[in-house]
Amino acid sequence: MINRYKLDVYLLGAAVVVVLAGIFTLYTQEYQLAEGSGRWYKQLIFFGLGLIICLGIRRMNYQVLEAYAVPAYLGSLFLLMLVLVFGATIKGAKSWFRLGPINVEPSEIARLATILLLAKYLQLKERDMGKIPTLLIAFGICLLPMLLIVVQPAFGDAFAFTPILLSMLFIAGADMYHIGSVVVFFSVAISVPLYIEYHNITLVDPLVGHLSDLGKTDLLPAVRLLKTDIWKFAAKGKIPVGIEGADKDYLVGLAGNQNLRASLVEAVNSVRSDSGGLLLRLLENDTLLLALGIFFALSALVLLILRLTQGTSLANLRKLYIPFGVIGMSLLSAVAVHTTFSFKYHQIARVTAFINPDRFPRDLAYQTRASRAAIGSGELSGRGIFQGDMTTGERPLVPEAYTDFIFTAWCERTGFLGGTLILLLLLSIPLRGMLVSFESRDRFASLLSAGISFMFFFHILMNVGIAVGLLPVTGLPLSFMSYGGSHLITAMVSLGILLSVARRRFAN
Amino acid sequence: MSRSASEFRLEQQFQTRVYIFTGFMILVGTVLTLQMGNLQLLHGAENRRMAKKFVSRQEFTVAPRGLILDRTTDPANPLVKNLITTDFVVFPSRFENLEEGKGYIREFCRIMGRNYANYEQYLTPEAWKVLVRRNESITLLTRMDTAEHERLGELRMVTEYGSFVTNHLRYYTMGPAAAHVTGYIGLPSRSELDRGLALPYQMLGKGGIEARYDSDLRGTDGVRIRHRFVDEEEQLAESEQGNSLVLTIDRRAQAAAYNSLKNSGRRGAVVAMRPSTGEILALVSYPAFDPNILSSGSADQRSRHTKTVQDYEGFLNLAIQAKFPPGSTFKPLVAIAALENSAENHVTEDTSFHCAGSWLLPSSVAGVPPARFNCWNAGHGTNNLIGAIAQSCTVYFYQLGYKIGPNAMIHFAKATGLDKKTGVDLPGEIQGFVPDQRWKQITWSSRWYDGDTVNLAIGQGFLEVTPIELAVLYSAMANRGKIYRPYLIKEVRDPVSNRVLRQVRPDLIHEVPISQKSLDIVQEGMRAVVSRGTAQHLNRPDYPPIAGKTGTVQTRSRIKAANHAWFASFAPYGAPIEEQIVVVVFVEFGMGGSAAAAPIAGDVFHAVFPDWTPTVHPQIKPDRKEETPPNGKPQ
């Protein structure tokens, strides 16, 4: 419906409904308490403010933004550096400014500013999207704020830049081989070691069971002592630091004893192949990966040389040597990562606990389990608007029930029906944004609206994905719904820009 | 505007990519929705249950422990009962803030006359915050009595800020006197938790009947679900009290035994049982502990008491957990051993030996001179079997033992179970020890000497028995060789209806074949001990006729002449066996069996038969007039 103000009601409407749903949820989370901190009306106030700002920005011509892209970007970098010095440390990260009653988070602002600059840059380099330097500079634009955020330290926020960058490159026409390569490379190089380490943790219990079944009870104390270090011990006889006295003597004796050592190794191997599977055995074999990696890398090199010497007639070889090269490099770096970095137990657990939260000790996987149970308890139509037990009160059983897990709170109250409804509304915002991007005549507008849509999309994906237990827990709030003035205002500003683009998309 | 071809291609690519990404968005949305469906629709009920578990706290309401009654089975007067006490507690989480809480406690102190300083440790901001967060309480009054309850009525808002907590405390009416029989209760230790004997919040029986029959006494705990946020509770299951146990214990005997032993000022044990069934009427070990302190005292009191008791080894139950040489109390069995084989060794009741104060054991090893063995006085003259028993003539039994050899004695000692556990239903029983030739060869790498034989004949040397084993032996000698398993539990009853759930029947373990003739002779000998022998002071008209044997055991103690004292007996002599009881008394370092141990047995018999007159039992035969004066020439 195009009314005379050319207001895109779908966009605005969806956002407004979501915000109100959020405020309502916040209200129900506190209404029982005599002394609630009154989050819901604070949120309402910020919403009012944000709405005004949003509509105001909408009136502006977005092309003004194009002019101010670089200063905005630099300004956001400056703020990021400033927060490292003057910021307040909340939850272990210096990511917030405290300005009286209001908290401001510069990382959100940086994300918006980066998208702005990227849009401008990619529009300028429209024809050069196939060239490597373009990509590198685009990476660079993202890398600076990412590094500054990582220093805070806030890995979740920093990581959120990556999918936005990749999507913008994708939509701007970058060569898929290039992007794909980067994605594959990093995925493989990180996933393979993580996969191995994940199994190192979860295979300890089967090992204990296996040894008990065989009656090899003299080996059991070693496993109980070493836990996840048992694999290194079985392979190389390595005893970790921190084990002293009688325990250490026992382990040294065990390592020296040929028979016991052999039976331990045998037990380890059978457990790893039975419970871990063929894939694990393949992946943890460093020599195999090394050999494969070298094979792929060398063949890629050969193909590349062929192409360079023989000229453009063999341009199709590109389709071969890039993937080969990428696979080779990623296998090699996987081995490198696996052998050089020793991941600490809690790092691995944090990232992989969501796969099977019951295997991990209570506190590590607690958020995932609690959130899943809370969402699941909503069943079809919810437990009732005011019956959200797990997400209520000052210390709710699902932590961060007001912020990162607000979606959980909503689903507990409104069930599957309410959850899908709100998800639909939430996703309709980036979807509508894609439509705007599609219909825009101006390249900058397309890129900008796409970028903002991507930002919303990935925020929603990550937050909801965490809440339902499909992704590891990183602290990312849900746009429009999570409690927090800073996030709400930033989201409204982004929405305003989007509306501004939407308003003028048929122009030019 | 016009488009060049490359622009057009770019445009196409752009549009395609937008489609692709849109598709990706829709895919993601579907995946998320599917996962939501998975959690909510597929596993919805399961998750709802799990959420309930997150939100509510399951509590157990502890069941009251079963009562322990003595043999009179009077539920109004139990041996061990539960006292219900009430505590008054306040919850910091129900106050607005710390200041309000402080004010309330100050007012409480004013009304009840308590010292505010006692509660200051809870009233720091940090401690208060912890209590609020955990929704825990501060105990203001413990074991309230009615006076305190009334005064508390002046305090305002008692039910808003606090609540009354009922506790079940265990009360042992006989205290230390029956401590080793009853045991006590306490929270489980680490190893007990590991063995799964109890849950961390439950009380577990420790030692004695409380431990042995813990599963009967424990009952079933109720289950209550408490909501974390809203003040609602739901009792899912009521708690059920544990079963009541009826013991075989006779309170009078137990009290008499304990007091008498305590007054002697020495450590010791007393076992009183019925030879016809194996019921234990009294089982005392002194010194003991106070089960009331250990079960219901504060942690401070308990640890102090435990330390004190450990210092004097009061946790050791001397009746079943310590063994000593029986000394002269073994002589009647030696006599039986001799008489039963009279076909071979020609020993009869008239067999006599002369005692001149000491005796020379002929040497069996070349080059070794004969050894001199002394009697306990200057000489008993010549005695027959009965007289020797009555006077406890050591030299007589040396010669008797030398004559019959060790095998018969060893056989009867083992047959009457002196080297086996009696199987009494108390935890921790140990078994006695009967030496034999094979053992000696293995352990001491030397053969059995005649010296060992004669030592065995007077109940010294390697032979060691526990007081309860001796009681079983004397029960057998009173009851024609029948060995019954000693037991403490008579019945198990339902706590509400008092209906008998289980009844324990006497358990005849073994019957040692002893001829009635031998028994009659030896029993007569034992009666002579009291009527004219070493325990004459028990021969009183207000006591039932007692038969028994004194014993004095030389120890290898550094303290000069520190001997243990025994007295093993049964009464009323001549009455039907169902009415008789056996009493065994052991006094550590008691010096003389007659002087130290026998009076205690007398007290026990007197307690069980308080109104004895000689005419009570016409069936009891008068003693045979056997005239053998103490320094005796035979008549």
Side-chain angles (χ1 to χ4, degrees):
Chain A
M1 171 175 71
I2 303 174
N3 60 27
R4 53 197 195 98
Y5 293 105
K6 294 209 197 116
L7 175 63
D8 191 338
V9 283
Y10 294 114
L11 263 182
L12 190 59
V16 167
V17 172
V18 171
V19 176
L20 289 176
I23 292 177
F24 184 62
T25 312
L26 288 170
Y27 173 72
T28 64
Q29 283 175 310
E30 284 183 322
Y31 85 102
Q32 293 166 326
L33 302 178
E35 218 184 70
S37 29
R39 290 187 176 85
W40 66 276
Y41 59 75
K42 284 187 195 152
Q43 187 83 336
L44 197 57
I45 294 171
F46 278 115
F47 175 52
L49 200 62
L51 202 55
I52 296 171
I53 297 176
C54 171
L55 292 172
I57 292 180
R58 175 179 162 269
R59 291 184 141 262
M60 284 173 17
N61 191 337
Y62 62 85
Q63 285 170 336
V64 169
L65 294 170
E66 191 177 355
Y68 286 110
V70 175
Y73 176 74
L74 291 173
S76 71
L77 284 183
F78 176 67
L79 279 177
L80 281 177
M81 286 189 279
L82 207 64
V83 82
L84 290 173
V85 179
F86 290 109
T89 310
I90 299 180
K91 289 188 218 123
K94 270 203 174 142
S95 36
W96 292 85
F97 285 116
R98 271 205 208 281
L99 299 174
I102 307 174
N103 293 339
V104 176
E105 196 180 26
S107 2
E108 295 260 347
I109 302 172
R111 245 200 300 281
L112 195 55
T114 312
I115 291 175
L116 197 58
L117 186 60
L118 268 179
K120 177 170 179 176
Y121 177 73
L122 291 174
Q123 179 238 343
L124 281 176
K125 291 287 175 183
E126 199 176 338
R127 292 176 196 286
D128 299 327
M129 287 310 296
K131 301 219 174 86
I132 307 273
T134 319
L135 293 181
L136 288 177
I137 295 185
F139 271 109
I141 294 178
C142 268
L143 202 64
L144 287 176
M146 273 174 80
L147 282 176
L148 285 171
I149 293 176
V150 163
V151 175
Q152 281 177 357
F155 291 100
D157 272 338
F159 181 69
F161 275 79
T162 321
I164 299 175
L165 168 67
L166 292 173
S167 317
M168 286 189 77
L169 286 175
F170 175 69
I171 220 79
D175 196 337
M176 273 323 297
Y177 279 104
H178 292 151
I179 300 183
S181 318
V182 172
V183 172
V184 167
F185 175 78
F186 278 109
S187 314
V188 172
I190 301 286
S191 308
V192 167
L194 267 183
Y195 182 75
I196 297 175
E197 292 298 320
Y198 170 74
H199 275 100
N200 279 350
I201 294 177
T202 54
L203 283 179
V204 175
D205 283 335
L207 181 62
V208 172
H210 186 74
L211 284 174
S212 311
D213 289 341
L214 287 180
K216 294 209 169 69
T217 46
D218 39 346
L219 294 173
L220 279 176
V223 183
R224 291 217 179 89
L225 269 177
L226 293 172
K227 293 193 199 58
T228 50
D229 293 320
I230 187 71
W231 315 110
K232 282 212 191 85
F233 178 73
K236 295 176 210 149
K238 182 163 177 291
I239 302 174
V241 290
I243 297 192
E244 296 294 321
D247 295 336
K248 190 162 180 206
D249 297 334
Y250 162 72
L251 287 174
V252 168
L254 183 62
N257 185 327
Q258 288 292 72
N259 288 338
L260 286 179
R261 184 77 184 283
S263 54
L264 179 64
V265 170
E266 192 189 313
V268 160
N269 286 340
S270 76
V271 164
R272 287 189 88 94
S273 54
D274 289 338
S275 316
L278 184 60
L279 188 58
L280 179 65
R281 305 275 3 242
L282 284 177
L283 289 178
E284 64 175 359
N285 190 340
D286 285 341
T287 352
L288 177 64
L289 290 186
L290 211 57
L292 275 177
I294 292 177
F295 167 70
F296 277 106
L298 279 181
S299 24
L301 198 60
V302 164
L303 291 171
L304 177 65
I305 293 173
L306 270 180
R307 192 216 155 164
L308 287 176
T309 50
Q310 301 287 23
T312 51
S313 57
L314 289 174
N316 285 338
L317 275 181
R318 201 169 155 268
K319 292 204 171 95
L320 270 181
Y321 70 71
I322 290 186
F324 270 38
V326 168
I327 294 173
M329 294 302 293
S330 56
L331 285 174
L332 288 174
S333 48
V335 173
V337 170
H338 186 219
T339 45
T340 43
F341 289 107
S342 63
F343 292 100
K344 293 209 207 35
Y345 174 79
H346 73 267
Q347 288 169 331
I348 303 166
R350 188 134 184 267
V351 176
T352 53
F354 72 97
I355 300 176
N356 197 346
D358 297 316
R359 283 274 199 98
F360 288 85
R362 308 230 109 213
D363 17 297
L364 272 175
Y366 178 73
Q367 283 170 313
T368 309
R369 271 190 297 115
S371 178
R372 275 189 178 173
I375 292 182
S377 71
E379 292 187 271
L380 186 61
S381 56
R383 299 191 63 192
I385 295 295
F386 290 101
Q387 301 326 335
D389 290 328
M390 284 186 75
T391 48
T392 313
E394 276 306 309
R395 270 170 301 278
L397 290 145
V398 177
E400 304 295 326
Y402 299 102
T403 50
D404 301 345
F405 285 93
I406 190 87
F407 184 74
T408 309
W410 173 261
C411 283
E412 192 185 8
R413 287 160 174 73
T414 55
F416 183 71
L417 293 175
T420 25
L421 183 65
I422 213 79
L423 190 60
L424 215 63
L425 285 171
L426 278 168
L427 283 176
S428 72
I429 299 174
L431 277 174
R432 188 92 185 145
M434 290 309 288
L435 179 69
V436 168
S437 174
F438 187 79
E439 289 176 345
S440 292
R441 302 293 179 204
D442 175 5
R443 187 118 182 119
F444 174 67
S446 291
L447 289 170
L448 183 58
S449 51
I452 293 183
S453 305
F454 295 146
M455 183 181 83
F456 283 139
F457 174 69
F458 282 110
H459 282 179
I460 295 168
L461 164 60
M462 289 177 80
N463 184 288
V464 176
I466 291 172
V468 296
L470 287 174
L471 292 174
V473 178
T474 50
L476 223 59
L478 188 58
S479 314
F480 299 113
M481 226 177 153
S482 281
Y483 170 70
S486 176
H487 298 136
L488 189 56
I489 302 272
T490 321
M492 294 306 277
V493 166
S494 317
L495 188 68
I497 300 174
L498 200 54
L499 286 172
S500 169
V501 172
R503 192 168 172 230
R504 290 173 180 77
R505 65 185 184 272
F506 297 116
N508 300 339
Chain B
M1 78 188 163
S2 65
R3 305 256 185 128
S4 66
S6 63
E7 268 186 27
F8 184 72
R9 215 180 30 241
L10 285 174
E11 190 65 32
Q12 272 302 101
Q13 187 198 48
F14 172 72
Q15 288 185 350
T16 319
R17 292 193 171 190
V18 170
Y19 286 138
I20 293 175
F21 204 89
T22 312
F24 175 61
M25 284 190 191
I26 295 175
L27 179 69
V28 166
T30 317
V31 167
L32 290 174
T33 314
L34 282 176
Q35 171 69 352
M36 264 176 39
N38 178 31
L39 288 177
Q40 292 174 312
L41 302 175
L42 216 58
H43 297 291
E46 201 180 300
N47 279 320
R48 176 81 67 115
R49 259 179 282 133
M50 223 196 316
K52 258 216 175 84
K53 263 199 247 171
F54 272 102
V55 162
S56 50
R57 230 195 302 236
Q58 192 171 276
E59 286 180 351
F60 291 102
T61 41
V62 181
R65 225 168 145 78
L67 301 178
I68 303 181
L69 308 168
D70 66 11
R71 68 184 299 119
T72 60
T73 75
D74 181 8
N77 194 15
L79 209 54
V80 181
K81 61 184 181 183
N82 300 314
L83 290 180
I84 299 191
T85 63
T86 314
D87 296 346
F88 175 61
V89 305
V90 288
F91 287 92
S93 54
R94 297 188 191 172
F95 291 100
E96 289 284 312
N97 50 37
L98 176 57
E99 285 313 306
E100 199 184 14
K102 276 186 180 170
Y104 190 75
I105 291 183
R106 251 186 232 113
E107 197 183 325
F108 165 82
C109 292
R110 183 184 64 80
I111 292 177
M112 302 300 297
R114 299 283 155 132
N115 192 351
Y116 182 77
N118 292 340
Y119 307 104
E120 277 182 342
Q121 49 166 314
Y122 302 110
L123 300 175
T124 62
E126 301 81 34
W128 190 264
K129 216 170 23 161
V130 170
L131 289 171
V132 169
R133 185 155 47 90
R134 294 196 191 149
N135 205 19
E136 285 174 0
S137 58
I138 304 176
T139 309
L140 293 181
L141 284 176
T142 56
R143 305 197 203 178
M144 291 171 49
D145 56 34
T146 29
E148 287 174 325
H149 212 117
E150 274 173 28
R151 265 205 289 182
L152 199 59
E154 290 177 39
L155 186 60
R156 59 179 175 97
M157 307 249 278
V158 154
T159 48
E160 281 85 353
Y161 289 131
S163 56
F164 295 97
V165 180
T166 44
N167 290 319
H168 294 278
L169 289 181
R170 201 82 165 138
Y171 184 61
Y172 298 85
T173 51
M174 285 188 79
H180 283 109
V181 169
T182 59
Y184 63 100
I185 59 172
L187 288 171
S189 69
R190 183 78 246 162
S191 65
E192 284 161 344
L193 281 176
D194 285 342
R195 277 183 283 153
L197 294 174
L199 294 175
Y201 69 91
Q202 292 177 322
M203 294 292 245
L204 182 64
K206 305 205 181 216
I209 293 288
E210 293 272 26
R212 178 71 177 69
Y213 292 94
D214 186 68
S215 49
D216 273 301
L217 291 169
R218 185 97 65 79
T220 323
D221 290 342
V223 181
R224 182 169 56 196
I225 295 200
R226 192 200 290 272
H227 200 276
R228 267 189 210 227
F229 300 115
V230 189
D231 244 337
E232 51 181 48
E233 285 177 3
E234 194 189 322
Q235 190 86 20
L236 282 187
E238 292 295 332
S239 58
E240 289 168 19
Q241 184 169 14
N243 292 331
S244 304
L245 299 178
V246 177
L247 300 183
T248 55
I249 294 283
D250 181 327
R251 242 197 249 241
R252 306 166 298 179
Q254 182 85 10
Y258 180 77
N259 288 328
S260 193
L261 195 50
K262 188 166 155 207
N263 286 335
S264 76
R266 302 217 171 272
R267 296 158 57 89
V270 177
V271 178
M273 63 187 270
R274 269 204 195 286
S276 56
T277 58
E279 288 169 282
I280 294 187
L281 296 173
L283 193 136
V284 172
S285 174
Y286 181 82
F289 50 90
D290 189 345
N292 286 316
I293 297 181
L294 293 178
S295 306
S296 316
S298 67
D300 244 355
Q301 292 170 326
R302 289 200 310 267
S303 66
R304 263 183 285 132
H305 187 69
T306 307
K307 175 131 195 334
T308 316
V309 171
Q310 278 172 344
D311 283 342
Y312 59 67
E313 291 179 1
F315 286 114
L316 188 66
N317 185 343
L318 293 170
I320 64 174
Q321 292 178 325
K323 50 189 178 173
F324 310 91
S328 306
T329 56
F330 189 62
K331 287 177 186 167
L333 192 61
V334 176
I336 288 179
L339 289 169
E340 285 294 299
N341 283 327
S342 66
E344 292 170 23
N345 53 36
H346 308 298
V347 170
T348 67
E349 67 175 294
D350 297 315
T351 309
S352 54
F353 296 98
H354 179 72
C355 168
S358 67
W359 175 70
L360 274 179
L361 172 69
S363 162
S364 53
V365 179
V368 175
R372 179 168 293 278
F373 284 76
N374 294 322
C375 197
W376 59 269
N377 73 356
H380 289 104
T382 311
N383 279 299
N384 63 3
L385 188 55
I386 292 177
I389 294 175
Q391 301 303 329
S392 192
C393 177
T394 313
V395 163
Y396 180 99
F397 278 91
Y398 284 143
Q399 297 180 63
L400 182 63
Y402 185 69
K403 182 180 172 67
I404 68 173
N407 293 327
M409 295 190 279
I410 293 173
H411 163 76
F412 274 97
K414 289 188 178 180
T416 51
L418 291 183
D419 61 344
K420 299 184 240 326
K421 296 191 198 180
T422 62
V424 67
D425 47 356
L426 282 176
E429 187 188 6
I430 67 172
Q431 62 195 55
F433 179 71
V434 174
D436 59 20
Q437 294 90 332
R438 190 164 152 270
W439 166 83
K440 180 123 195 281
Q441 184 63 50
I442 296 174
T443 315
W444 294 87
S445 300
S446 70
R447 66 177 177 83
W448 185 274
Y449 292 121
D450 293 330
D452 299 322
T453 306
V454 300
N455 266 332
L456 185 59
I458 62 160
Q460 301 232 195
F462 301 113
L463 179 66
E464 284 184 318
V465 302
T466 65
I468 199 169
E469 280 170 336
L470 202 63
V472 170
L473 170 66
Y474 271 70
S475 298
M477 290 200 291
N479 196 9
R480 305 198 54 179
K482 295 202 176 80
I483 309 259
Y484 281 93
R485 188 179 65 84
Y487 62 97
L488 278 163
I489 289 277
K490 258 173 82 147
E491 291 166 357
V492 178
R493 291 191 174 195
D494 181 84
V496 177
S497 64
N498 219 24
R499 192 171 55 90
V500 176
L501 297 173
R502 284 199 323 266
Q503 188 147 39
V504 180
R505 306 226 168 273
D507 186 10
L508 178 62
I509 301 179
H510 186 47
E511 231 177 296
V512 184
I514 305 178
S515 67
Q516 186 59 47
K517 187 157 178 294
S518 308
L519 276 176
D520 283 341
I521 296 169
V522 173
Q523 281 184 6
E524 204 182 311
M526 289 199 276
R527 176 63 188 139
V529 168
V530 175
S531 62
R532 52 189 171 89
T534 53
Q536 278 176 57
H537 50 279
L538 288 187
N539 203 17
R540 298 159 46 154
D542 55 342
Y543 279 10
I546 302 172
K549 186 73 195 71
T550 56
T552 307
V553 179
Q554 285 154 341
T555 66
R556 292 192 189 85
S557 169
R558 301 276 161 79
I559 309 167
K560 201 170 82 135
N563 299 326
H564 295 319
W566 286 98
F567 187 67
S569 54
F570 51 96
Y573 180 77
I577 190 63
E578 295 77 26
E579 291 174 27
Q580 293 196 26
I581 65 170
V582 164
V583 174
V584 169
V585 177
F586 171 78
V587 181
E588 194 193 49
F589 302 131
M591 307 299 266
S594 158
I600 297 177
D603 287 337
V604 177
F605 284 120
H606 184 60
V608 178
F609 301 103
D611 304 308
W612 187 266
T613 59
T615 55
V616 166
H617 265 288
Q619 293 134 299
I620 295 180
K621 304 181 298 260
D623 299 318
R624 204 157 40 119
K625 283 288 179 197
E626 176 72 59
E627 260 131 68
T628 312
N631 59 348
K633 291 182 286 258
Q635 301 274 306

